[in-house]
Amino acid sequence: MKIISAFHVAAALVLFAAIPADAADTVNTQGPALRVEKLADGLEHPWAVEVLPDGAYLVTERPGRMRIIRDGKLSEPIGNVPKVSARGQGGLMDVALAPDFATSRKFYFTAAIANGQGSGTEAFSATLSKDEKKLEAVKPVFTMRRFTSGNIQYGSRIAIAPDGTLFISVGDRGDRDRSQDWQDDAGSIVHINADGSIPADNPFKDGGKALPDIWSKGHRNPQGITFDAKDGKLYTVEHGARGGDEINQPEAGKNYGWPIITYGRDYSGAEIGEGTAKEGLEQPLHYWDPSIAPGALAVYRGAMFPEWDGDFLVAALKFQLLSRLQRDESGAFVAEERLFEGDYGRIRDVVVAPDGALLVVTDEDDGALLRVSRAQASNG
């Protein structure tokens, strides 16, 4: 369905106070004016950010580094990060804190990893040492069954379900037919327990029709995955080819069509598959044509922007923007507002901080961490 085209808290505030006032921009929108502050730069292709309990930030850089940003200062790289395959679209990618991180110091991350057969997507659990200088207890919890040559379309994001299980998005690795091979976890959303075992509610847990970790198939390159905190529904956003970027709501055992159906075309202009719809294959909730090259996805449930409640926020690389998709009371998408287009570079991640502000990373050689908050009204 097409939409109308148009368009964690107190500790964090202490950190933000260290940012000079003149380092912020004011951006007008269709609703509230926004204040955009640069919290850090000098990051090499940052991919993901998470807020630590004390208000500092844990960030990943695609070449294989993790750092902490605290009091406006960038730490030295954290030690014991596994060697990643930082080629093409590959490298160190997503990071997600365990719900009990404040006591366990446990988190999860994804990366492109190489072996003798090529490279593939892998997810790890680890703990952050008390001095924050190294990773401890690093353990793979998910590894693609088949590594291949090429360095594109790895996915990959992590969403932690309310029960602590992990949903991980995996790209088709540039081989579209793998998305329809149910004995291959490329082009899928996988669902695992925190230790890598198979959850009891997985649709193929016996490994018969499909690999036991597969939740859904027919995805191309999903680089955004999140739960709506209000209703617990899982959503993804994924890259199409030339057109056909999609938002989907992955449900157990369902097939989302790629490459049998798509609203995009091949980069050559040739048609792909059998059209835009086919019985037994799911339709996207929304698609873009032309493509915006989506990164991360967040459903806004925060106090700072109550007028955005329930809106989808999608990071975009191609047009260097943040897409805000408005929904009506039924949940249908009704309008789009494009924020920051071309102003800050390729936007890779978007996270809603505990105070309701947005955190954004820009995927550039000299990438940055930005905070987007509500601009204060003038007293004049």
Side-chain angles (χ1 to χ4, degrees):
M1 112 189 23
K2 291 286 281 189
I3 69 164
I4 302 169
S5 177
F7 62 174
H8 290 354
V9 172
L13 294 175
V14 172
L15 173 60
F16 301 148
I19 306 300
D22 59 3
D25 298 329
T26 299
V27 178
N28 292 319
T29 74
Q30 294 175 356
L34 305 178
R35 176 181 172 88
V36 182
E37 303 164 271
K38 183 182 290 186
L39 302 182
D41 55 15
L43 295 162
E44 186 177 0
H45 295 281
W47 225 87
V49 59
E50 280 278 67
V51 184
L52 297 176
D54 69 348
Y57 309 100
L58 177 64
V59 296
T60 62
E61 295 173 277
R62 193 165 51 77
R65 294 182 292 272
M66 291 186 190
R67 299 181 190 266
I68 291 173
I69 300 168
R70 179 179 285 110
D71 298 328
K73 297 178 181 178
L74 195 61
S75 77
E76 291 297 316
I78 296 170
N80 290 348
V81 174
K83 183 179 179 180
V84 306
S85 179
R87 299 174 56 247
Q89 297 173 7
L92 184 60
M93 295 179 286
D94 202 18
V95 61
L97 303 186
D100 64 351
F101 177 88
T103 54
S104 70
R105 305 186 69 77
K106 184 175 182 179
F107 66 98
Y108 308 94
F109 61 94
T110 61
I113 302 295
N115 64 17
Q117 286 71 51
S119 64
T121 303
E122 193 159 20
F124 300 82
S125 65
T127 58
L128 181 63
S129 64
K130 289 185 177 180
D131 64 6
E132 301 180 336
K133 294 184 181 299
K134 62 182 179 180
L135 302 187
E136 300 174 334
V138 180
K139 173 191 173 184
V141 293
F142 165 78
T143 306
M144 288 187 74
R145 301 303 199 279
R146 182 159 67 94
F147 281 31
T148 53
S149 62
N151 51 27
I152 62 172
Q153 294 170 208
Y154 295 90
S156 73
R157 293 278 178 187
I158 304 167
I160 303 178
D163 63 2
T165 60
L166 310 180
F167 286 82
I168 302 168
S169 63
V170 185
D172 69 0
R173 298 289 286 104
D175 184 348
R176 61 183 61 167
D177 292 338
R178 295 182 68 180
S179 291
Q180 291 297 322
D181 182 350
W182 292 78
Q183 298 299 324
D184 187 341
D185 38 29
S188 69
I189 305 302
V190 301
H191 181 215
I192 59 173
N193 291 317
D195 63 358
S197 61
I198 303 302
D201 63 345
N202 271 19
F204 312 108
K205 58 182 181 296
D206 60 358
K209 175 187 173 183
L211 293 177
D213 54 19
I214 287 177
W215 182 258
S216 61
K217 284 286 285 182
H219 304 280
R220 184 174 182 266
N221 189 26
Q223 290 194 353
I225 184 168
T226 193
F227 282 94
D228 183 342
K230 184 175 182 178
D231 61 19
K233 292 180 180 179
L234 180 69
Y235 296 97
T236 59
V237 63
E238 59 192 82
H239 289 254
R242 203 175 83 180
D245 300 342
E246 295 182 354
I247 292 177
N248 286 299
Q249 184 186 332
E251 296 182 3
K254 292 189 176 181
N255 187 337
Y256 291 82
W258 174 259
I260 301 172
I261 60 171
T262 177
Y263 286 89
R265 288 177 171 265
D266 203 344
Y267 297 108
S268 67
E271 293 185 359
I272 299 173
E274 302 175 20
T276 59
K278 186 176 182 179
E279 185 176 356
L281 303 180
E282 304 302 313
Q283 283 289 302
L285 301 180
H286 169 68
Y287 70 91
W288 286 268
D289 186 12
S291 294
I292 63 168
L297 166 68
V299 180
Y300 191 84
R301 300 292 182 186
M304 188 171 290
F305 301 105
E307 57 271 84
W308 290 359
D309 186 55
D311 290 354
F312 279 38
L313 301 169
V314 181
L317 303 164
K318 181 178 178 182
F319 295 115
Q320 303 181 2
L321 58 84
L322 184 67
S323 170
R324 181 177 68 87
L325 296 169
Q326 296 175 275
R327 296 193 290 172
D328 63 19
E329 292 181 359
S330 73
F333 295 104
V334 294
E336 178 184 29
E337 181 178 15
R338 297 189 167 193
L339 306 173
F340 318 131
E341 189 163 4
D343 292 341
Y344 298 103
R346 290 158 45 90
I347 299 181
R348 174 67 71 177
D349 197 12
V350 56
V351 170
V352 181
D355 65 349
L358 306 182
L359 299 171
V360 168
V361 297
T362 62
D363 185 357
E364 303 286 348
D365 292 340
D366 182 9
L369 171 63
L370 308 175
R371 177 182 185 253
V372 181
S373 60
R374 197 179 195 97
Q376 297 301 311
S378 171
N379 292 326

